[in-house]
Amino acid sequence: MAPHIGTRLLADTEPPVRRVKVLHNMQPTYSLEAGIDGEIFPALANYAAFQRAGDRDFGTFTLTISNYNDSALNARVSVQVPGWSDLELQNVSIGSGEVRKLLFAPVFWPRLYTNHEIAAATGILKVTDSGNQPLYQQTIPVRLRSVDDMYWGPKFGYAAFIASWVTPHDPRVEAVLQKAKEFMPGRRLPGYEEWKSPAEQAVSTREQAKSIYRALHETGVSYVKSSLTFGRNTSVSERVRLPGESLQQRSANCIDSVVMYASVFENLGMDPMVILVPGHAYVGVQESEDSNSYLYIETAITGRAPFETAVKAASNGLAKIAPKDVIRIPIADARSAGIYPMPLPGQDFRHFPVSEGSTETAGR
């Protein structure tokens, strides 16, 4: 399932180029808008930053330039959130009478991905000519949503972005696997093994899932609902803990635990799936390579019920839901669509303060 890009993102609302009436001596006008209703969701910003400017479906910032002048506009345009992001620079050429939408997605610093509360910031637009002489400057207020905030969108149109929360390389996810292998024959978690038949792979997948379930049971993770979030569009967004946070706090609601299990399975090279149903979520894992058969788990009862009960509860629960009300998000498909794990703390040291005694300036 590729990400559905809905009409709430400003870049989708109009064609990339329109026309306006040319007015003598009238200067170009600029209008900068941020995110969704002025709010930037880290998962969406991370996705957009991976795309080249010309390939973007949407931008973290959308700039509309209307060139009323009777001459073409050739300019260098930059957008940045000081203290939070790199500067993105684009060279533009806009003909007389043209209206152009430009999509910007500056790379955000690790600070954004360690921020767990809504924060106020400022977006800065600068326009200069080819000689770097200033033509225009604008600032706009922006709200930076918590790294935990998932934007589902109307009718769950952005559900595929839940794959951003599947973080297989988190050290705490690795620690779960270290514990889980102790419950496997031969102390091995092999993922899929090509030399096995599909039936044998399915048996192995179930054994590995059971060992992972037991390992998570022994970590003490159990259900705690904590989905409250702040800002606009709270009816179509919620807090989702990253797996490392759930494991550290030993607390997870249904969707928290689903992305936690999906992270463990993806780490093993297996193919997990997030399944959304009205008011709830399950995790699935493909039983064998190139198979349409999945093992489903009710992750919300981890720590409170045996593995077999969790499997039966998931199968029974899904059987009661009409197919039209089930949203399935294969993580492999989301990765193919460019939705990658959100950066983890410590993965990028470019913008962390330098150590004492360094000759560099720690201005970030």
Side-chain angles (χ1 to χ4, degrees):
M1 175 181 176
H4 170 74
I5 307 304
T7 56
R8 294 305 301 280
L9 290 172
L10 297 169
D12 296 328
T13 58
E14 296 183 40
V17 179
R18 293 188 295 118
R19 306 291 303 183
V20 292
K21 183 178 180 181
V22 174
L23 301 173
H24 186 63
N25 290 331
M26 178 73 172
Q27 296 303 308
T29 63
Y30 305 86
S31 176
L32 183 67
E33 300 182 76
I36 299 172
D37 294 333
E39 296 186 338
I40 294 173
F41 287 81
L44 300 182
N46 188 53
Y47 168 78
F50 273 105
Q51 316 303 315
R52 293 181 298 183
D55 297 336
R56 287 175 184 148
D57 301 304
F58 61 87
T60 306
F61 290 91
T62 301
L63 172 64
T64 303
I65 303 178
S66 301
N67 186 13
Y68 293 94
N69 199 277
D70 51 12
S71 299
L73 171 68
N74 297 296
R76 305 172 74 218
V77 183
S78 67
V79 173
Q80 183 180 24
V81 183
W84 292 90
S85 82
D86 286 343
L87 177 149
E88 180 175 340
L89 176 67
Q90 295 186 26
N91 294 312
V92 301
S93 180
I94 301 176
S96 174
E98 281 189 1
V99 178
R100 184 80 58 84
K101 281 185 180 288
L102 302 175
L103 305 178
F104 287 81
V107 175
F108 278 84
W109 301 348
R111 179 184 180 189
L112 180 70
Y113 302 102
T114 58
N115 176 50
H116 293 276
E117 200 57 89
I118 190 169
T122 301
I124 295 183
L125 165 69
K126 292 183 179 180
V127 184
T128 64
D129 62 18
S130 57
N132 210 33
Q133 294 300 307
L135 299 176
Y136 182 81
Q137 182 166 317
Q138 178 186 359
T139 64
I140 62 168
V142 298
R143 294 183 178 190
L144 302 174
R145 295 290 290 261
S146 163
V147 67
D148 301 316
D149 285 359
M150 169 65 190
Y151 180 74
W152 297 107
K155 298 182 180 180
F156 285 83
Y158 295 79
F161 286 97
I162 194 62
S164 300
W165 275 257
V166 179
T167 52
H169 297 142
D170 188 303
R172 292 189 177 92
V173 170
E174 300 270 10
V176 170
L177 290 169
Q178 292 173 17
K179 183 182 287 288
K181 72 178 182 180
E182 301 300 328
F183 307 131
M184 284 290 294
R187 300 178 65 245
R188 295 177 67 247
L189 285 168
Y192 303 125
E193 294 176 294
E194 295 180 0
W195 54 270
K196 289 184 176 180
S197 69
E200 290 172 326
Q201 286 187 33
V203 170
S204 175
T205 294
R206 191 179 185 95
E207 289 176 345
Q208 292 176 77
K210 185 175 182 177
S211 73
I212 291 165
Y213 187 89
R214 181 177 172 184
L216 287 167
H217 175 96
E218 294 198 358
T219 65
V221 173
S222 60
Y223 185 91
V224 175
K225 181 178 180 179
S226 183
S227 56
L228 176 68
T229 189
F230 300 103
R232 300 187 175 101
N233 298 298
T234 54
S235 63
V236 290
S237 62
E238 69 172 312
R239 179 193 182 200
V240 179
R241 293 182 182 91
L242 286 159
E245 187 179 359
S246 294
L247 290 165
Q248 181 183 39
Q249 298 176 357
R250 294 184 292 178
S251 300
N253 64 17
C254 62
I255 190 62
D256 300 340
S257 56
V258 162
V259 296
M260 179 172 61
Y261 274 85
S263 298
V264 178
F265 287 128
E266 189 180 37
N267 182 290
L268 293 174
M270 305 176 87
D271 291 321
M273 175 188 287
V274 173
I275 302 100
L276 304 175
V277 300
H280 199 48
Y282 302 101
V283 74
V285 59
Q286 194 170 290
E287 290 187 323
S288 61
E289 287 185 301
D290 303 320
S291 167
N292 291 323
S293 180
Y294 282 79
L295 172 68
Y296 300 107
I297 304 170
E298 167 57 279
T299 62
I301 59 176
T302 301
R304 297 185 290 128
F307 173 73
E308 291 74 13
T309 301
V311 171
K312 185 176 181 180
S315 296
N316 291 344
L318 284 168
K320 297 176 182 177
I321 306 296
K324 67 179 180 64
D325 294 326
V326 180
I327 299 173
R328 299 174 186 270
I329 305 156
I331 300 305
D333 288 0
R335 300 295 188 231
S336 296
I339 302 176
Y340 302 118
M342 276 194 286
L344 299 173
Q347 282 189 330
D348 182 351
F349 294 95
R350 291 176 304 156
H351 304 298
F352 279 88
V354 296
S355 59
E356 186 176 353
S358 169
T359 58
E360 299 180 35
T361 301
R364 295 175 176 174

